Amino acid sequence: MEPPAGAAYTDTPAADLALQVRSLYRYYQTGTTVVRALDGVSFDVKVGEFCAIVGTSGSGKSTLLNQLAGLEPATAGIVRVFNRDIAALNERELVEFRLQNIGFIFQSFNLIKSLTALENVCLPLVFKGVNPSLRKKAATVLLQQLGLQNHAGHLPTQLSGGQQQRLGIARALIANPRIIYADEPTGNLDSKSAQETLKLLKKIAAAGNKTIIMVTHDEHLAQYADRIFKISDGKLVAVSRGTISDNVNKQ
Ligand SMILES: Nc1ncnc2c1ncn2[C@@H]1O[C@H](COP(=O)(O)OP(=O)(O)O)[C@@H](O)[C@H]1O
Ligand SMILES: [Mg+2]
């Protein structure tokens, strides 16, 4: 039976969960004041789900994403990514775990300006030690899939914002991660490019059985997601289902 729309937990077996977050806290001490950036958050995400994390500026969205990637230690609580308790991994194991499992998409694209589109997309495979001809082959296929085949030799500055973000998405996908984290991926895009990016993410989640966690402060764009987690003052205050369900695979 489907869990109710507002459920943060599912009755899904642990093996089918991409994320299990339990009583997660992240406090920052600045001088004498303590900022409760995350204040006891618990939820599950199923493999293949496209989830949005929404909330106003300063509500704890980026802190949560950093926790889900093991980029900072938690103050307390549990984060399991594909059943691995990431607090149990040392720094070297974490780097390896991210390389094997996680793709990142950034608001400011984080492309390397001196590298071509093709070279930017190849980068994760360089870190994985894949040989140059295989890298180039894989990147060429992805550029084609994302409609960037005519821009392989272009530098990021020669591309529009929407194209740069598609390049960022290609780079996030090339190492075939199981989960993708995107922090405000449309924050620097006009509304049309933003909408296209969301459709693309939705399609990727549906077609590749990829799990996507996208942070946004835009409540409308969040409606493309399967589920929406609303964060306020470091707490999960609501869970709902996205209302935009147009069949993006047909487009
Ligand atoms: N490294 C840090 N040191 C101190 N306070 C921080 C740090 N990172 C985030 N915060 C604080 O934690 C709260 C949540 O921040 P953040 O997760 O970046 O919010 P959001 O991404 O939703 O805008 C804010 O009050 C922010 O100032
Ligand atoms: Mg943020």
Side-chain angles (χ1 to χ4, degrees):
M1 201 182 76
E2 274 284 293
Y9 296 165
T10 65
D11 52 10
T12 309
D16 296 330
L17 290 177
L19 296 174
Q20 264 184 303
V21 177
R22 292 292 179 273
S23 303
L24 185 63
Y25 293 81
R26 177 60 163 135
Y27 290 177
Y28 293 107
Q29 175 105 35
T30 46
T32 54
T33 53
V34 173
V35 177
R36 300 177 174 208
L38 286 178
D39 204 11
V41 172
S42 302
F43 61 90
D44 289 339
V45 173
K46 279 191 273 188
V47 170
E49 257 195 301
F50 175 16
C51 293
I53 299 170
V54 300
T56 54
S57 177
S59 55
K61 305 181 298 295
S62 294
T63 303
L64 177 56
L65 214 53
N66 288 344
Q67 290 292 324
L68 300 181
L71 291 169
E72 292 178 351
T75 302
I78 297 171
V79 175
R80 290 197 192 94
V81 184
F82 300 112
N83 251 333
R84 292 288 292 274
D85 181 352
I86 57 172
L89 303 177
N90 66 31
E91 201 48 50
R92 192 187 52 78
E93 290 166 333
L94 266 173
V95 169
E96 184 62 22
F97 185 78
R98 281 187 217 112
L99 205 54
Q100 297 299 336
N101 295 285
I102 305 176
F104 292 92
I105 300 169
F106 304 93
Q107 173 171 356
S108 48
F109 319 133
N110 285 17
L111 300 166
I112 296 184
K113 290 191 170 60
S114 58
L115 297 182
T116 64
L118 186 98
E119 289 164 343
N120 266 287
V121 174
C122 282
L123 268 186
L125 297 186
V126 175
F127 294 126
K128 269 189 141 176
V130 174
N131 80 52
S133 71
L134 284 179
R135 293 198 305 247
K136 191 170 174 194
K137 213 167 153 185
T140 303
V141 169
L142 261 179
L143 288 176
Q144 171 92 40
Q145 282 173 358
L146 297 187
L148 292 167
Q149 64 275 14
N150 296 329
H151 302 284
H154 290 167
L155 297 173
T157 49
Q158 297 174 302
L159 302 174
S160 71
Q163 288 170 334
Q164 289 186 58
Q165 193 52 299
R166 264 187 283 154
L167 204 53
I169 292 170
R171 183 188 51 192
L173 288 172
I174 196 159
N176 201 22
R178 299 163 77 190
I179 191 163
I180 295 162
Y181 296 144
D183 197 348
E184 302 276 6
T186 61
N188 287 354
L189 301 180
D190 60 80
S191 65
K192 185 165 175 281
S193 304
Q195 217 169 43
E196 274 163 10
T197 300
L198 262 296
K199 285 182 185 171
L200 181 60
L201 290 177
K202 198 172 168 87
K203 194 168 149 183
I204 288 164
N209 206 29
K210 303 257 182 239
T211 309
I212 300 181
I213 311 295
M214 175 190 71
V215 159
T216 178
H217 63 269
D218 187 320
E219 302 245 359
H220 172 70
L221 289 178
Q223 299 301 327
Y224 281 91
D226 299 318
R227 275 195 306 160
I228 303 162
F229 297 98
K230 185 163 190 168
I231 307 276
S232 177
D233 289 333
K235 291 189 168 73
L236 181 58
V237 292
V239 183
S240 59
R241 289 201 184 279
T243 54
I244 303 176
S245 60
D246 56 5
N247 190 345
V248 290
N249 289 320
K250 282 186 184 155
Q251 293 179 5

